[in-house]
Amino acid sequence: MRVVETFRAAYGAPPQTVWHAPGRVNLIGEHTDYNDGFVLPFAVPWGVTAAVTPRTDGVIRLLSLQSQGEPVTLATHEESKGWTRYVVGVLAMLGDRVAGADIAIDGDIPQGAGLSSSAALEVAVASALNDLHDLGMTPMEIALLSQKAENDFVGMPCGIMDQAASALSEEGRALFLDCRSLGFRTIPFDLSAHGLSLLIIDTQAHHEHAGGEYAKRRAECESAARKLGVPALRDVTDLAAALDRLQGDERKRTMHVVTENHRVEALIGLLRAGHVVEIGALLNASHLSLRDQYEVSSPELDLAVEAAIRGGARGARMTGGGFGGSAIALVPQERLDSVQESVVGAYAERGFQAPRFLLATPAKGAHRLA
């Protein structure tokens, strides 16, 4: 394992533990998590591996196989920057339960593709430290601590979905999560049994949520909920009446969140009934809502969705926070080539950078490797 070899070369001894945590694709339920709503993600085969040995002197030494140079040595949490903030944020949330660590990181999640590499990094490190220090945290507690690190230390006001998907997912299944109660169950999700594949279309238009637009959407939702007198937009039961009381962007955001929660529940119903091909229409509706009501799509994402459907996809939508990243397409296996050719051709015609394609299969959540 190359992360172990790198760790040994940098720190002079092998790591005491190695943990892997996956990224995720969200099948449906976008921008609903911080509105106390429903989501249906699943873990992907790519993720982050953390090799860790504890220290007792409060020092944190970090290195990443994806970054050049010597290990970064930090005497205080405040010295962290860039990718190290996600790791140091986890240690900061653990407080005096952890007194420093030597850490080496390896990852194979496409950066900027919207597959949640930051959550995978947080969950991998938190899982390793939980193991080493016998902290007794459950996978959900690890997810919550990782979310808190991103919210309070990094400054990204994300919901719980990404970290929960990384910590809790099961191979071959999607994760249905109620983001208010934190109740969850896994749903069988075997597309190949129905002659289908889920194609990830990485637009190569990379995003950066912490820049403000994501936070702006969250603030709009919270403002709308206050005006409607409900704890969160998840609690809106009469959508027409709610929309009559709102204007502008807050009206649009509310329409998306309420209808997206309904789409999550409808999609689960179709999966349970075995009507897997029919979920494509819900993916299409989700994308239109994210494009027109939530306004988080991009020209590259819109074109990927449109071209995938022209090429034979049963349905497609942007996935992740938006403003770039990836789309997903539900594709009959015999149409995979034609869908990819359609998207590549459309991108070339518009002068966009060529997209990258990945096949997503539901993978195992965080687990120990060594």
Side-chain angles (χ1 to χ4, degrees):
M1 201 182 313
R2 67 177 191 168
V3 71
V4 172
E5 296 167 0
T6 302
F7 187 103
R8 188 196 303 269
Y11 302 131
Q16 289 190 17
T17 195
V18 182
W19 276 76
H20 177 83
R24 65 93 188 95
V25 157
N26 190 24
L27 186 59
I28 200 162
E30 215 67 78
H31 290 278
T32 51
D33 58 347
Y34 54 81
N35 287 291
D36 283 0
F38 307 127
V39 294
L40 190 66
F42 63 85
V44 292
W46 317 282
V48 172
T49 302
V52 184
T53 291
R55 297 176 64 95
T56 59
D57 58 3
V59 171
I60 304 168
R61 292 196 295 180
L62 301 170
L63 66 87
S64 167
L65 275 69
Q66 282 65 56
S67 298
Q68 301 296 320
E70 296 297 313
V72 177
T73 300
L74 305 173
T76 67
H77 296 156
E78 289 72 24
E79 295 176 7
S80 63
K81 58 184 179 180
W83 69 270
T84 68
R85 292 178 300 156
Y86 298 94
V87 177
V88 174
V90 169
L91 277 88
M93 295 307 109
L94 289 169
D96 58 10
R97 288 181 286 176
V98 175
D102 287 340
I103 301 173
I105 299 296
D106 192 11
D108 59 359
I109 301 176
Q111 294 297 303
L115 303 180
S116 202
S117 55
S118 60
L121 176 57
E122 293 153 358
V123 170
V125 171
S127 298
L129 293 170
N130 180 55
D131 179 22
L132 285 171
H133 294 275
D134 197 22
L135 300 178
M137 290 190 294
T138 66
M140 180 59 82
E141 288 170 338
I142 288 170
L144 287 167
L145 181 133
S146 298
Q147 180 202 14
K148 187 173 176 60
E150 191 151 347
N151 290 170
D152 296 353
F153 193 87
V154 179
M156 169 62 184
C158 65
I160 188 60
M161 177 182 68
D162 295 351
Q163 291 82 3
S166 185
L168 296 163
S169 288
E170 296 178 9
E171 187 174 359
R173 303 175 77 89
L175 179 74
F176 174 53
L177 174 67
D178 180 333
C179 296
R180 169 172 288 165
S181 70
L182 300 183
F184 65 92
R185 63 180 182 271
T186 59
I187 309 293
F189 189 58
D190 183 5
L191 291 180
S192 62
H194 298 269
L196 297 165
S197 294
L198 194 75
L199 182 68
I200 299 172
I201 306 167
D202 179 1
T203 67
Q204 301 284 301
H206 294 169
H207 59 191
E208 177 51 63
H209 290 153
E213 286 297 321
Y214 185 102
K216 181 173 180 284
R217 297 301 185 281
R218 181 165 186 165
E220 289 165 346
C221 290
E222 292 169 350
S223 175
R226 285 194 298 271
K227 290 177 182 177
L228 294 171
V230 294
L233 291 182
R234 176 245 181 90
D235 299 295
V236 173
T237 55
D238 188 337
L239 179 58
L243 296 180
D244 284 343
R245 296 172 59 187
L246 298 170
Q247 295 180 337
D249 289 343
E250 291 181 3
R251 188 177 191 275
K252 291 181 177 180
R253 309 309 182 234
T254 300
M255 181 180 293
H256 167 73
V257 172
V258 174
T259 59
E260 186 79 347
N261 278 322
H262 292 324
R263 284 187 285 270
V264 175
E265 294 179 299
L267 194 147
I268 290 171
L270 289 173
L271 290 180
R272 287 183 156 177
H275 301 316
V276 179
V277 172
E278 296 177 24
I279 72 174
L282 292 168
L283 301 184
N284 293 340
S286 176
H287 183 78
L288 292 176
S289 184
L290 288 159
R291 185 192 72 186
D292 299 337
Q293 305 302 329
Y294 222 72
E295 299 177 292
V296 291
S297 191
S298 69
E300 294 88 351
L301 287 166
D302 291 340
L303 186 60
V305 168
E306 294 160 10
I309 293 171
R310 282 201 307 269
R314 295 288 189 177
R317 75 174 193 91
M318 58 155 281
T319 188
F323 312 108
S326 294
I328 55 173
L330 183 71
V331 184
Q333 291 173 350
E334 69 273 12
R335 300 305 300 270
L336 279 169
D337 288 343
S338 66
V339 167
Q340 293 180 57
E341 289 166 4
S342 178
V343 176
V344 168
Y347 268 49
E349 187 175 324
R350 288 281 293 274
F352 291 160
Q353 182 178 350
R356 173 170 39 184
F357 300 98
L358 303 162
L359 284 175
T361 54
K364 186 179 181 180
H367 56 283
R368 184 174 180 171
L369 297 179

